[in-house]
Amino acid sequence: MNNNANGIESCSKCVLIINVIVLGIETSCDETAVAIINSNNQVLSNKLYSQIDLHKKFGGVVPEIAARSHVEFLPHLIEEAIDDAKITLENIDAIATTGGPGLIGGVIVGVMYGKTLASCMNKKFIAINHLEGHALVPKMTENIEYPYLLLLVSGGHCQIVMIEELGKYSIIGKTIDDAAGEAFDKVAKLLNLGYPGGPIVEKYAKKGNEKAFEFPKPLLKNGEHNFSFSGLKTAVRNQINKLEAISEQDKADICASFQYTVSEIINYKILQALNLFSAKFPDSKNVVISGGVAANLYLRQKLSENIKNLGYKLFYPPIDLCTDNAVMIAYAGMERLKNGYYSNLGFEPKSRWNLDEIIY
Ligand code: KG4
Ligand code: ZN
């Protein structure tokens, strides 16, 4: 057994973590985020600077603006996070940084900062796959055993994955075009509701009739595990063009019908995926939804009811851990530390990085 000053003890087969502190950095899209957690899963600080106002007027994220803003805000957020946690930089044992996938300029900023801190302060550096952060963070607040079936739905991703154990992930299906969150954002844009679209569409949908308009449900056939949302978005655009003047009630009806359709598609796909999952893991009854769209209460409720009838339980993170944050990156880093995995400083930032391509 080797001891080191950081409270990390290791032998050839195990890593024992005692009072370890991990600092997480997230810069893969339009949120600059820093969090500090300890090995009891306590969040010591959680800082987030959202760039929404910078990108709003463009109707979407502008990569160059995002990267420059990360450069500007990341150092301040790290200082604030350390102050908030009432620790010093020396108390931190490892720096976990999103290493991809994402907008490459932003990922480079986070990785370079994380590597530099780790190297100067002689700390461990752990490059985290952003999707792995989303995939694991529900375990931080709920007692969820491996294996579980994961639906990861965000602005950039929509996929169903078997989470077998840490680092062993098999993708059952994914979107072949738009992600579900992207479709929410585009519908909001078509209706001039603002950005990001998900929360606004959900709010409007509450006042609307979900059967007012019938929208297509692409790729809804037996044995097809992939998703497609671009046809749905086009159908919404065509419907809007057909209406001469759009009233507030029309907007609500479109949002409700769109949200209903997304929910129907997701529910169908999850049931299909459960056939595969239950054949492989008959004893596991855990389904997890994560990513920005998992903040949608309507979707959570429909999915929860649907799978409950089959004996499964739906888990989801608290709303602030659904959308991008650094707690999930710090948590994935801690899980890796507990299993003895670190990255070396030669790690290269990645714009694309599938969940099933993570190599320890
Ligand atoms: O996970 P996230 O913060 O970023 C990515 O990794 O992509 O997800 C952001 C996405 C946006 O598309 C946003 O519109 C969507 O999550 N979103 C929602 C809700 N809250 C955020 N979609 C539907 N309903 C919501 N309540
Ligand atoms: Zn994300």
PDB file of all heavy atoms in Angstrom, residues 26 28 130-131 134 152 154-157 291-292 322-325 328, ligand 2:
ATOM      1  N   GLU A  26     -15.851  22.980 -16.101  1.00  0.00           N
ATOM      2  CA  GLU A  26     -16.685  22.684 -17.274  1.00  0.00           C
ATOM      3  C   GLU A  26     -16.703  23.905 -18.186  1.00  0.00           C
ATOM      4  O   GLU A  26     -17.098  25.004 -17.770  1.00  0.00           O
ATOM      5  CB  GLU A  26     -18.099  22.329 -16.790  1.00  0.00           C
ATOM      6  CG  GLU A  26     -19.214  22.469 -17.823  1.00  0.00           C
ATOM      7  CD  GLU A  26     -19.034  21.619 -19.071  1.00  0.00           C
ATOM      8  OE1 GLU A  26     -18.533  20.490 -18.976  1.00  0.00           O
ATOM      9  OE2 GLU A  26     -19.382  22.124 -20.156  1.00  0.00           O
ATOM     10  N   SER A  28     -17.398  23.287 -21.922  1.00  0.00           N
ATOM     11  CA  SER A  28     -17.565  22.692 -23.255  1.00  0.00           C
ATOM     12  C   SER A  28     -18.588  23.406 -24.125  1.00  0.00           C
ATOM     13  O   SER A  28     -18.665  23.148 -25.323  1.00  0.00           O
ATOM     14  CB  SER A  28     -17.926  21.217 -23.134  1.00  0.00           C
ATOM     15  OG  SER A  28     -19.207  21.084 -22.579  1.00  0.00           O
ATOM     16  N   HIS A 130     -17.610  14.811 -21.026  1.00  0.00           N
ATOM     17  CA  HIS A 130     -18.774  15.587 -20.581  1.00  0.00           C
ATOM     18  C   HIS A 130     -20.027  14.687 -20.442  1.00  0.00           C
ATOM     19  O   HIS A 130     -20.809  14.830 -19.490  1.00  0.00           O
ATOM     20  CB  HIS A 130     -19.024  16.691 -21.612  1.00  0.00           C
ATOM     21  CG  HIS A 130     -20.215  17.535 -21.360  1.00  0.00           C
ATOM     22  ND1 HIS A 130     -20.172  18.667 -20.583  1.00  0.00           N
ATOM     23  CD2 HIS A 130     -21.499  17.431 -21.777  1.00  0.00           C
ATOM     24  CE1 HIS A 130     -21.370  19.219 -20.533  1.00  0.00           C
ATOM     25  NE2 HIS A 130     -22.207  18.486 -21.260  1.00  0.00           N
ATOM     26  N   LEU A 131     -20.173  13.753 -21.367  1.00  0.00           N
ATOM     27  CA  LEU A 131     -21.351  12.873 -21.338  1.00  0.00           C
ATOM     28  C   LEU A 131     -21.293  11.936 -20.137  1.00  0.00           C
ATOM     29  O   LEU A 131     -22.322  11.576 -19.557  1.00  0.00           O
ATOM     30  CB  LEU A 131     -21.437  12.055 -22.635  1.00  0.00           C
ATOM     31  CG  LEU A 131     -21.433  12.885 -23.914  1.00  0.00           C
ATOM     32  CD1 LEU A 131     -21.424  11.989 -25.133  1.00  0.00           C
ATOM     33  CD2 LEU A 131     -22.649  13.793 -23.945  1.00  0.00           C
ATOM     34  N   HIS A 134     -22.734  13.780 -17.224  1.00  0.00           N
ATOM     35  CA  HIS A 134     -24.205  13.688 -17.200  1.00  0.00           C
ATOM     36  C   HIS A 134     -24.657  12.288 -16.774  1.00  0.00           C
ATOM     37  O   HIS A 134     -25.648  12.131 -16.070  1.00  0.00           O
ATOM     38  CB  HIS A 134     -24.774  13.962 -18.594  1.00  0.00           C
ATOM     39  CG  HIS A 134     -24.864  15.413 -18.973  1.00  0.00           C
ATOM     40  ND1 HIS A 134     -25.566  16.336 -18.236  1.00  0.00           N
ATOM     41  CD2 HIS A 134     -24.369  16.097 -20.050  1.00  0.00           C
ATOM     42  CE1 HIS A 134     -25.501  17.527 -18.835  1.00  0.00           C
ATOM     43  NE2 HIS A 134     -24.769  17.416 -19.921  1.00  0.00           N
ATOM     44  N   LEU A 152     -29.873   9.987 -22.068  1.00  0.00           N
ATOM     45  CA  LEU A 152     -29.130  11.254 -21.959  1.00  0.00           C
ATOM     46  C   LEU A 152     -29.692  12.205 -23.010  1.00  0.00           C
ATOM     47  O   LEU A 152     -29.530  11.986 -24.211  1.00  0.00           O
ATOM     48  CB  LEU A 152     -27.651  10.969 -22.210  1.00  0.00           C
ATOM     49  CG  LEU A 152     -26.650  11.979 -21.659  1.00  0.00           C
ATOM     50  CD1 LEU A 152     -25.248  11.410 -21.758  1.00  0.00           C
ATOM     51  CD2 LEU A 152     -26.722  13.312 -22.318  1.00  0.00           C
ATOM     52  N   SER A 154     -29.945  16.175 -24.074  1.00  0.00           N
ATOM     53  CA  SER A 154     -29.474  17.540 -23.811  1.00  0.00           C
ATOM     54  C   SER A 154     -29.575  18.355 -25.096  1.00  0.00           C
ATOM     55  O   SER A 154     -30.239  17.945 -26.049  1.00  0.00           O
ATOM     56  CB  SER A 154     -28.044  17.484 -23.283  1.00  0.00           C
ATOM     57  OG  SER A 154     -27.192  17.043 -24.314  1.00  0.00           O
ATOM     58  N   GLY A 155     -28.886  19.513 -25.099  1.00  0.00           N
ATOM     59  CA  GLY A 155     -28.920  20.353 -26.291  1.00  0.00           C
ATOM     60  C   GLY A 155     -28.054  19.791 -27.410  1.00  0.00           C
ATOM     61  O   GLY A 155     -28.280  20.067 -28.582  1.00  0.00           O
ATOM     62  N   GLY A 156     -27.078  18.996 -27.055  1.00  0.00           N
ATOM     63  CA  GLY A 156     -26.162  18.473 -28.075  1.00  0.00           C
ATOM     64  C   GLY A 156     -26.273  16.965 -28.273  1.00  0.00           C
ATOM     65  O   GLY A 156     -25.701  16.426 -29.222  1.00  0.00           O
ATOM     66  N   HIS A 157     -27.007  16.291 -27.392  1.00  0.00           N
ATOM     67  CA  HIS A 157     -27.015  14.826 -27.436  1.00  0.00           C
ATOM     68  C   HIS A 157     -28.390  14.251 -27.128  1.00  0.00           C
ATOM     69  O   HIS A 157     -29.162  14.833 -26.373  1.00  0.00           O
ATOM     70  CB  HIS A 157     -25.997  14.260 -26.442  1.00  0.00           C
ATOM     71  CG  HIS A 157     -24.618  14.758 -26.708  1.00  0.00           C
ATOM     72  ND1 HIS A 157     -23.758  14.147 -27.582  1.00  0.00           N
ATOM     73  CD2 HIS A 157     -23.973  15.864 -26.264  1.00  0.00           C
ATOM     74  CE1 HIS A 157     -22.641  14.845 -27.660  1.00  0.00           C
ATOM     75  NE2 HIS A 157     -22.749  15.891 -26.867  1.00  0.00           N
ATOM     76  N   GLY A 291     -29.161  15.129 -18.331  1.00  0.00           N
ATOM     77  CA  GLY A 291     -28.957  16.124 -19.387  1.00  0.00           C
ATOM     78  C   GLY A 291     -30.015  17.219 -19.273  1.00  0.00           C
ATOM     79  O   GLY A 291     -31.017  17.059 -18.561  1.00  0.00           O
ATOM     80  N   GLY A 292     -29.800  18.321 -19.983  1.00  0.00           N
ATOM     81  CA  GLY A 292     -30.667  19.497 -19.846  1.00  0.00           C
ATOM     82  C   GLY A 292     -32.157  19.210 -19.987  1.00  0.00           C
ATOM     83  O   GLY A 292     -32.980  19.730 -19.223  1.00  0.00           O
ATOM     84  N   CYS A 322     -29.069  18.878 -13.920  1.00  0.00           N
ATOM     85  CA  CYS A 322     -29.461  18.351 -15.240  1.00  0.00           C
ATOM     86  C   CYS A 322     -28.738  19.126 -16.327  1.00  0.00           C
ATOM     87  O   CYS A 322     -28.101  18.552 -17.209  1.00  0.00           O
ATOM     88  CB  CYS A 322     -30.969  18.505 -15.460  1.00  0.00           C
ATOM     89  SG  CYS A 322     -31.982  17.363 -14.525  1.00  0.00           S
ATOM     90  N   THR A 323     -28.855  20.449 -16.278  1.00  0.00           N
ATOM     91  CA  THR A 323     -28.169  21.278 -17.278  1.00  0.00           C
ATOM     92  C   THR A 323     -26.670  21.318 -16.937  1.00  0.00           C
ATOM     93  O   THR A 323     -26.265  20.896 -15.852  1.00  0.00           O
ATOM     94  CB  THR A 323     -28.771  22.700 -17.291  1.00  0.00           C
ATOM     95  OG1 THR A 323     -28.931  23.122 -15.956  1.00  0.00           O
ATOM     96  CG2 THR A 323     -30.112  22.735 -17.990  1.00  0.00           C
ATOM     97  N   ASP A 324     -25.878  21.842 -17.876  1.00  0.00           N
ATOM     98  CA  ASP A 324     -24.421  21.783 -17.711  1.00  0.00           C
ATOM     99  C   ASP A 324     -23.960  22.435 -16.405  1.00  0.00           C
ATOM    100  O   ASP A 324     -24.435  23.507 -16.036  1.00  0.00           O
ATOM    101  CB  ASP A 324     -23.738  22.456 -18.907  1.00  0.00           C
ATOM    102  CG  ASP A 324     -23.825  21.576 -20.135  1.00  0.00           C
ATOM    103  OD1 ASP A 324     -24.231  20.404 -20.000  1.00  0.00           O
ATOM    104  OD2 ASP A 324     -23.482  22.050 -21.226  1.00  0.00           O
ATOM    105  N   ASN A 325     -23.040  21.785 -15.749  1.00  0.00           N
ATOM    106  CA  ASN A 325     -22.531  22.249 -14.448  1.00  0.00           C
ATOM    107  C   ASN A 325     -21.182  21.583 -14.213  1.00  0.00           C
ATOM    108  O   ASN A 325     -20.816  20.641 -14.916  1.00  0.00           O
ATOM    109  CB  ASN A 325     -23.529  21.879 -13.342  1.00  0.00           C
ATOM    110  CG  ASN A 325     -23.685  20.373 -13.204  1.00  0.00           C
ATOM    111  OD1 ASN A 325     -22.927  19.746 -12.472  1.00  0.00           O
ATOM    112  ND2 ASN A 325     -24.614  19.753 -13.927  1.00  0.00           N
ATOM    113  N   MET A 328     -20.988  17.820 -11.843  1.00  0.00           N
ATOM    114  CA  MET A 328     -20.988  16.503 -12.499  1.00  0.00           C
ATOM    115  C   MET A 328     -19.582  16.122 -12.985  1.00  0.00           C
ATOM    116  O   MET A 328     -19.224  14.945 -12.997  1.00  0.00           O
ATOM    117  CB  MET A 328     -22.002  16.464 -13.652  1.00  0.00           C
ATOM    118  CG  MET A 328     -21.675  17.320 -14.834  1.00  0.00           C
ATOM    119  SD  MET A 328     -23.014  17.235 -16.066  1.00  0.00           S
ATOM    120  CE  MET A 328     -22.181  17.926 -17.501  1.00  0.00           C
TER     121      MET A 328
HETATM  122 ZN    ZN B   2     -24.290  18.819 -21.305  1.00  0.00          ZN
END
